[in-house]
Structure formats: C-alpha cells, structure tokens
C-alpha cells in the first residue's frame, strides 16, 4: 500500500519504476534526495521533503541500496539463506525484473537481464543494442551500452555514455515517466552531439542527436 504522504508516495513510485535514490543532505526536519536512473545512477531530479512521514520512511537509510530494516542475526541451521554477492562482497540485486527493468516480487517470472561480466566489442555492442531496441527492450539495450561505456577508451567514453542514456530515456518513456525521459534524452544528445562529425564505429551521431532532442520535446509536450 502506498503512503499518503506526497514525498513518500513519490519516492515509492520512483523505486517501483526501477529508479534509484540517494540522500544528499539530511537535518532533523529536512531531507534532500537525488532521484537516479536505473543502473547508471544519473541524477534526473531531486526531492526535498520536510514532513515527518518521509523522514520516518527513510529511517537510517542513505540510499535505495540500503535495506529498509536491519537484517536479523544469522542463526545456524539448514534454513539459513545466504544473500547473493559478487566477488567484491557487494550484495547483488537478484530480484526478477520485467521487460522494462522494473523489479518484480521475489519468485515471479521475469525477463533475464544481461550478465554482470558483459564486455562486448564496440561493433557487437552496437548490433546487440540495436536488436534489443527493435525488440522493445530498451532497458536491456542500455545494459549492453553501459558495459561498452565502462570499457571504452577515454576518447569514446562520452559517446557510449550518451548512447546508454538514450536507451535509459527510452526506458523511462516506455514506463510513462515522460519527465525523466525528456531529461535523459536531452543529456544523451549533449553527449552524443560533439561526435557528430567524427563518430567512431560509424555511429550516426548527428542523426541520433537530432532524434533524441525531437523525442525529448515530444515527451515534454505530451507528458
């Protein structure tokens, strides 16, 4: 059940749509929260709240990655559940997700996401991302493009980051979050645009920049 407090309700909607958040500042009666995109963690908006309900909802949490309540002490026995963690010890988010990356209830049938160790070559990343976009899976396309961004040489990193943001913008548009979609699409255009005359890997940077800006305007008008 969603809380009646506007700040809590907005934060819950954001997280239910697959977004993340992080507390920026907190006092005894005010909190400022950055609303972040899924996975890339790009700040899209900020939520400032002064109500006690929002502060109580946050508790001691500093981000959406923190558990709502502290985990109980682990007791030995056959029923002990070990949380899935990566090689660094960081807990994985193993909840199933739908086709647009929104988390589902544990045990629900979901759409497989891309592997954590994905490291595609540029040509493969572009081809795979395009196919995923054609199949209506922009969230999965962004995972591929994000993997390419993380391994790209410095001169190409902003291009790949812009491509990943474009896919995230499309994801938010498909989820009905037109405000977040417009902001991400405009940011993607700002990053892809400088490559318009010399884009590596034959990326149609000029066309993508124009398309992202046009689509962002449509989101702003029709949102």
């Amino acid at each position: 059940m969603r809380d009646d407090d506007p700040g809590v309700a907005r934060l819950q909607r954001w997280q239910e749509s697959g977004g993340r958040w992080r507390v920026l500042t907190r006092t005894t009666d005010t909190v400022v929260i950055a609303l972040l995109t899924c996975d890339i963690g790009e700040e899209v908006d900020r939520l400032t709240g002064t109500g006690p309900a929002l502060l109580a909802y946050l508790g001691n949490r500093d981000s959406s990655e923190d558990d709502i309540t502290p985990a109980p002490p682990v007791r030995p026995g056959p029923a002990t559940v070990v949380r899935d963690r990566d090689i660094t010890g960081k807990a994985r988010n193993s909840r199933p997700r739908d086709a647009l990356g929104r988390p589902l209830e544990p045990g629900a049938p979901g759409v497989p996401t891309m592997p954590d160790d994905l490291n595609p070559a540029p040509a493969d990343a572009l081809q795979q991302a395009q196919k995923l976009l054609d199949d209506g899976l922009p969230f999965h396309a962004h995972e591929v493009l994000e993997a390419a961004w993380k391994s790209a040489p410095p001169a190409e990193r902003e291009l790949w980051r812009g491509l990943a943001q474009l896919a995230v913008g499309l994801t938010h548009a498909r989820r009905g979050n037109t405000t977040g979609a417009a902001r991400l699409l405009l940011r993607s255009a700002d990053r892809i645009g400088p490559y318009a005359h010399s884009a590596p890997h034959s990326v149609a940077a000029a066309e993508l920049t124009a398309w992202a800006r046009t689509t962002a305007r449509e989101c702003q008008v029709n949102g």
Side-chain angles (χ1 to χ4, degrees), residues 18-93:
R20 297 156 56 191
W21 54 265
R22 182 177 67 252
V23 174
L24 298 177
T25 61
R26 187 200 309 249
T27 65
T28 56
D29 57 0
T30 303
V31 62
V32 179
I33 303 170
L35 303 180
L36 312 173
T37 60
C38 48
D39 294 346
I40 289 181
E42 185 81 14
E43 182 176 332
V44 175
D45 204 353
R46 290 190 179 185
L47 167 64
T48 301
T50 57
L54 179 58
L55 293 168
Y57 176 74
L58 291 173
N60 293 325
R61 292 183 295 163
D62 291 320
S63 77
S64 53
E65 305 300 314
D66 297 333
D67 291 332
I68 294 178
T69 56
V74 176
R75 296 181 175 86
T80 298
V81 176
V82 179
R83 189 172 183 183
D84 184 25
R85 297 179 181 273
D86 63 19
I87 59 174
T88 67
K90 182 180 179 180
R92 299 180 192 270
N93 184 2

Side-chain angles (χ1 to χ4, degrees), residues 114 123-142 144-145 174:
M114 308 309 294
D124 294 336
L126 292 170
Q127 183 178 13
Q128 189 174 6
Q130 184 61 62
K131 184 179 187 307
L132 289 165
L133 290 171
D134 293 341
D135 291 342
L137 297 170
F139 176 81
H140 296 73
H142 115 265
V144 173
L145 295 167
R174 290 283 304 278

Side-chain angles (χ1 to χ4, degrees), residues 118-123 125-126 143-164 195 200-201 203:
L118 185 66
N119 186 24
L126 292 170
E143 290 188 308
V144 173
L145 295 167
E146 183 183 18
W149 162 49
K150 290 178 178 178
S151 61
E156 298 180 12
R157 286 182 62 82
E158 286 299 283
L159 172 64
W160 288 103
R161 188 177 185 185
L163 293 173
Y195 294 87
H201 315 297
V203 173

